[in-house]
Amino acid sequence: MDASTKIDSRTTMFALAICMVTGMGTIQMQPVLGGALVDRMGIGLQQMGVLFGIELVSMALACTVAAFGAHRQNRQQLVRIALVVLLIASVWSTLAESFATLCVARLLAGASGGVVQAVVYASTALRTHKDKTFAVLNICILLWGAASLGILPPVISAFGIPAVFAGFVVLCLLSLGLCGRIPARAPASGQGGPGRAAVYALRTDSTLLLVLVVLLFAGHGALWVYQERIGKAIGIAPDHIGMILGLSVLSGAVGAALAGIVGRRISHRSAQLIAFAGSILATLLMVYGTGVAAYALTACVIMLVWFFGLTYLLALTAEMDQTGRLPGLANAAIFIGQALGPAVGAVAVGTGSFRSVGWAATAIYVIALALSVVVTSHHARSERHRVRSPLGST
């Protein structure tokens, strides 16, 4: 009872959100930070891609490994160790004067951040209201992203690049002070029979769900990487494009908030139908649109429905596996989708065909829409069977 009350408290939710933001590292600020690294440290464009790639790959691998074992470990100890390593890596990043040393520092930062994220996802799976939990996490991540992108340019201008990494030192210290709110272990009742939850997490429907997460982020990434170029091709001024994209990030927070408010009043299948159908329509309208109003509206709609569906999708992973292993693996699948999306977009764009990019993203969304119907329908039938079966809890 105490563990359940603790994990459902607002203080624990705040601790999870801070740890998540800390563990994500430079992901959301990479466009601005990358430009500063090129201008101020003399890092080449290809080196910039390698640097961020190292951080993302190490983060994905560490998150995957930790996701498999976090439910068996003392989560407080695991997240503390990861945060200490992340703190050291952040200090190292502030002192790095060469590309090689910065790469090593960001590799450590990515790996430790991946472990932190795995622990956060394993812990959120224990909360009673999973949809609201992931809604709050998504809102915090989006607000942090919007704020950091706006704050970073003047901070870098005034204090240099080390100030960015020094900010993560502060976040690490804050997270270390709060991570005691994370339950060390899951309640026995949440673990199920011996090995049952672990086996369930790797069933076919769970594997399909992970594929769905990859497709969701691949479709989004294929278009997102070219949205600034699409706006420029229409003739929108760069500062207006930045304003519109910043507003779209905030609309994503609205979408996550709507998911938290609506909750289980609608089914998982309905939520995914709304999200993918809305994404398909808005994506095509964006690449075929010719005005500022159409560009701004579709950019905001895409982010709103996308994060609306993502919140439900993450909640579904937690419902399917109370150990938190599946949510952690879903977080690792996100990185695969984030890497796949821009690659698909690069192939589709050719010499500048943004409509081809739109159709590539649409094709991915259509496949994901069909897959989401299969996964959510199967989950709904499983839930009904579990409720009706007198042996469902044995």
Side-chain angles (χ1 to χ4, degrees):
M1 184 67 177
D2 288 341
S4 176
T5 303
K6 185 177 181 180
I7 192 65
D8 280 329
S9 71
R10 293 181 179 178
T11 308
T12 300
M13 183 70 254
F14 178 71
L16 292 172
I18 294 297
C19 287
M20 189 65 183
V21 167
T22 305
M24 289 188 70
T26 65
I27 289 178
Q28 291 179 291
M29 57 182 67
Q30 283 179 355
V32 174
L33 179 59
L37 289 169
V38 171
D39 294 337
R40 290 172 173 264
M41 285 190 66
I43 291 176
L45 291 175
Q46 288 184 328
Q47 288 180 315
M48 181 186 74
V50 170
L51 177 66
F52 290 147
I54 286 173
E55 185 171 353
L56 283 170
V57 170
S58 63
M59 189 177 289
L61 291 175
C63 183
T64 302
V65 173
F68 274 108
H71 64 289
R72 295 192 298 267
Q73 305 299 321
N74 184 311
R75 294 172 183 174
Q76 284 187 14
Q77 292 180 2
L78 187 60
V79 76
R80 282 196 178 102
I81 293 171
L83 286 169
V84 169
V85 175
L86 183 55
L87 176 64
I88 294 171
S90 298
V91 172
W92 191 349
S93 297
T94 65
L95 302 175
E97 296 182 352
S98 69
F99 174 70
T101 55
L102 188 57
C103 281
V104 175
R106 299 322 299 167
L107 185 147
L108 286 176
S112 53
V115 174
V116 172
Q117 292 176 50
V119 172
V120 170
Y121 276 108
S123 301
T124 53
L126 302 176
R127 288 176 64 87
T128 302
H129 301 290
K130 297 172 179 59
D131 46 3
K132 291 181 173 59
T133 298
F134 283 108
V136 172
L137 278 180
N138 283 334
I139 290 169
C140 291
I141 290 169
L142 286 166
L143 293 179
W144 166 252
S148 61
L149 287 175
I151 294 173
L152 238 58
V155 168
I156 293 174
S157 178
F159 305 104
I161 294 174
V164 178
F165 299 117
F168 283 103
V169 173
V170 176
L171 283 174
C172 286
L173 292 173
L174 179 58
S175 296
L176 281 168
L178 292 169
C179 65
R181 294 296 307 178
I182 297 175
R185 299 187 184 276
S189 60
Q191 300 289 359
R196 171 181 287 184
V199 172
Y200 186 78
L202 295 178
R203 277 173 40 172
T204 301
D205 53 347
S206 300
T207 303
L208 292 176
L209 181 56
L210 294 177
V211 173
L212 181 56
V213 173
V214 172
L215 292 175
L216 175 68
F217 276 83
H220 179 70
L223 184 69
W224 173 254
V225 73
Y226 291 106
Q227 281 195 30
E228 185 271 340
R229 296 288 91 183
I230 292 172
K232 185 176 181 180
I234 295 173
I236 304 174
D239 56 337
H240 291 166
I241 294 174
M243 188 182 303
I244 290 170
L245 294 181
L247 185 62
S248 74
V249 172
L250 294 179
S251 70
V254 172
L258 285 174
I261 293 170
V262 175
R264 295 309 303 271
R265 293 183 182 89
I266 64 173
S267 66
H268 282 292
R269 181 169 58 183
S270 298
Q272 297 311 311
L273 288 173
I274 292 170
F276 284 116
S279 295
I280 290 169
L281 181 61
T283 295
L284 291 177
L285 287 175
M286 169 173 281
V287 295
Y288 279 91
T290 57
V292 177
Y295 178 82
L297 178 62
T298 53
C300 290
V301 170
I302 287 172
M303 293 293 277
L304 188 147
V305 297
W306 195 85
F307 274 96
F308 179 83
L310 175 63
T311 301
Y312 277 95
L313 201 60
L314 293 175
L316 181 58
T317 65
E319 290 176 17
M320 291 173 66
D321 179 16
Q322 291 289 318
T323 69
R325 185 162 72 164
L326 185 58
L329 291 174
N331 189 51
I334 287 173
F335 295 112
I336 298 175
Q338 286 178 327
L340 181 62
V344 171
V347 172
V349 74
T351 58
S353 178
F354 296 123
R355 289 181 177 178
S356 295
V357 174
W359 280 108
T362 296
I364 294 173
Y365 283 142
V366 169
I367 297 171
L369 176 59
L371 185 58
S372 71
V373 172
V374 174
V375 172
T376 55
S377 297
H378 189 188
H379 176 68
R381 287 195 299 270
S382 298
E383 287 296 298
R384 287 194 296 268
H385 177 74
R386 189 176 297 114
V387 170
R388 292 172 183 173
S389 174
L391 301 179
S393 59
T394 62

